[in-house]
Amino acid sequence: INNNKCFKSQPQRLVITTIPHAITGEDIIAWLADRFQVDTQEARNFVSMLVALGYIYPLQDHRRLVIKPDASLYRFQTPYFWPTQQWPVEDTDYAIYLAKRNIRKRGILELHEQEHYNRLHKWMNHKWDFVVMQAKEQYRAAKERKKPDRVVFECQERAYWVVHRPPPGTVSAMDYGLDRLTDPNADEVTGELVKYCSTYKSHDPFLSNCLPSNPWLTDDATYWSLNMPSVEIPTKMRVERWTFSFAELLSDPRGRDDFRLFLKKEFSGENLAFWEGCEDLKWGEAATMREKAEHIYKTFLARGAPRWINIDGKTMEVTVKGLKHPHRYVLDPAQTHIYMLMKKDSYGRYQKSPVFKDTVKKAICPEEHRYRHGKLFNAKKRRPSLSPIILRQMEQEQRAKMAANVDITQVMSKLSKQGKEAPPPFLAPPLRNKHKRVMFRDFYRRI
């Protein structure tokens, strides 16, 4: 819309600053009603929708995204901030905007802005220095502009964030916020779902054939045996999942072992050890929580710690303060910092490292087991297979039995050799009482 041809706009004085191209609400409604031959109420509803979407913004009561049919002042938003541009609305950009307002207002923000500022500061603690640096640069560049231009841009930017991060009680046309589930500025949600499904389809035993066979259909437990948590040689499909994301790599115990080997060669294995310790504290027993937190602090965080990790001073301060009253999530800030450090720095190098390439080379690709139709669905002749949990329990019981089945003759021979070198043991005098002899015989047998 061309402001000069369609509306009667003129400079308006706002407080002590002159704002160019300001328009009253009643002029906008009257022009739309006359141009499109609609009644006043319909024109007002249409303009209210434009205000709610951010194409028009109020100059005075910026928190109310509605049109007022009076002398209230409005301006058209610059096309750069139009929703049709489909810029991704990032929390990092919002954090920079709030940091810039905090500098300009000298720490005096509105209540909802202060809450968002504190929350983002805690969440983005690992890169808050970058946020503040960007805010200072933008603030310095804005001061070089003329005051009317600077005020207009501040109004445009504030209107943009009022639409995309609405204050409490404001009806927003954009159905998202800090806890958003969908982002209307991004691609269609169905597209993201299709992308996820296409990525994981071949790794889902219910959607694709799993090698060597699907244990839920064939009762062949080979698939579970090959994908045990601590298997020596993983499958190619399992290794492929490690490249999907850093979270996939850490969620697989075998993947963590491979990543640990890589970090050990880079002399940074303490990062993964600290992350695993935090996970153990978070999901472990409550009775040992305080003891684990103290052990993690002495091992990784204290001065002169044997496996000291490198975190920034602010995170260290928050963590040490929280350890005075430890709880499950007391190490979350430090854990997040180390997680992001490994994700951005170590994870990429790991995928290009000889350790990962060697694992890919050794990974096995089992051949598919073929079953005849009659054999596959003959349930009466088919013996049900054991679940992975039962298999692990049986493995632990077998190890316990092997440890218990010690050769007694070898033990006795070792004891006899030691007895020759040692002083003679105490020998009980012969007992004539039969009951006492039986009692001592049982005693020596237990020994």
Side-chain angles (χ1 to χ4, degrees), residues 38-279:
V38 295
D39 58 21
T40 305
Q41 185 60 40
E42 187 173 355
R44 181 178 178 181
N45 293 338
F46 180 70
V47 178
S48 294
M49 183 176 64
L50 293 178
V51 174
L53 292 173
Y55 290 97
I56 303 173
Y57 63 90
L59 288 174
Q60 295 160 319
D61 191 1
H62 65 275
R63 298 184 60 173
R64 296 192 61 189
L65 299 178
V66 294
I67 192 72
K68 296 180 181 179
D70 52 23
S72 300
L73 299 178
Y74 296 83
R75 287 191 87 254
F76 281 93
Q77 181 65 282
T78 179
Y80 179 82
F81 289 122
W82 284 1
T84 51
Q85 297 290 351
Q86 295 188 346
W87 300 120
V89 184
E90 299 288 348
D91 291 332
T92 303
D93 296 332
Y94 188 46
I96 294 173
Y97 165 74
L98 291 178
K100 184 169 56 176
R101 277 186 59 84
N102 188 56
I103 296 172
R104 187 168 60 245
K105 297 291 185 179
R106 297 182 180 179
I108 303 176
L109 297 175
E110 296 185 19
L111 181 60
H112 74 281
E113 291 179 336
Q114 187 65 52
E115 292 176 355
H116 286 319
Y117 180 87
N118 295 336
R119 180 177 178 179
L120 289 170
H121 189 187
K122 181 179 179 180
W123 182 51
M124 298 181 178
N125 187 53
H126 59 283
K127 60 176 181 180
W128 196 251
D129 292 340
F130 167 78
V131 171
V132 174
M133 180 186 68
Q134 290 291 324
K136 289 181 178 179
E137 288 296 327
Q138 293 184 16
Y139 177 72
R140 188 179 298 110
K143 291 189 68 174
E144 297 177 358
R145 300 175 182 173
K146 295 180 180 180
K147 187 173 183 180
D149 296 338
R150 185 170 69 246
V151 173
V152 166
F153 182 76
E154 291 173 1
C155 293
Q156 291 170 345
E157 194 176 26
R158 182 181 61 186
Y160 174 82
W161 287 114
V162 167
V163 172
H164 293 84
R165 294 289 189 273
T170 302
V171 179
S172 175
M174 303 294 182
D175 185 20
Y176 63 92
L178 280 177
D179 300 321
R180 61 186 177 274
L181 299 177
T182 61
D183 187 351
N185 285 334
D187 295 334
E188 295 183 3
V189 180
T190 54
E192 295 295 328
L193 182 60
V194 169
K195 180 180 178 182
Y196 178 86
C197 292
S198 62
T199 302
Y200 285 89
K201 179 182 178 181
S202 59
H203 295 263
D204 193 324
F206 290 99
L207 299 178
S208 302
N209 294 332
C210 55
L211 299 176
S213 64
N214 193 324
W216 288 275
L217 299 178
T218 63
D219 278 336
D220 182 5
T222 307
Y223 174 80
W224 283 328
S225 300
L226 293 175
N227 290 277
M228 294 287 283
S230 57
V231 68
E232 182 178 357
I233 302 177
T235 62
K236 289 187 178 298
M237 297 285 286
R238 186 171 182 177
V239 175
E240 184 183 350
R241 287 180 68 102
W242 301 348
T243 63
F244 291 169
S245 66
F246 186 55
E248 281 285 351
L249 176 65
L250 292 187
S251 65
D252 188 343
R254 181 61 181 81
R256 286 204 304 273
D257 291 341
D258 209 56
F259 188 55
R260 184 182 295 107
L261 178 61
F262 164 76
L263 293 178
K264 184 178 180 181
K265 292 186 176 182
E266 287 208 339
F267 303 99
S268 58
E270 65 277 358
N271 290 334
L272 181 60
F274 174 74
W275 183 88
E276 290 178 326
C278 294
E279 288 293 296

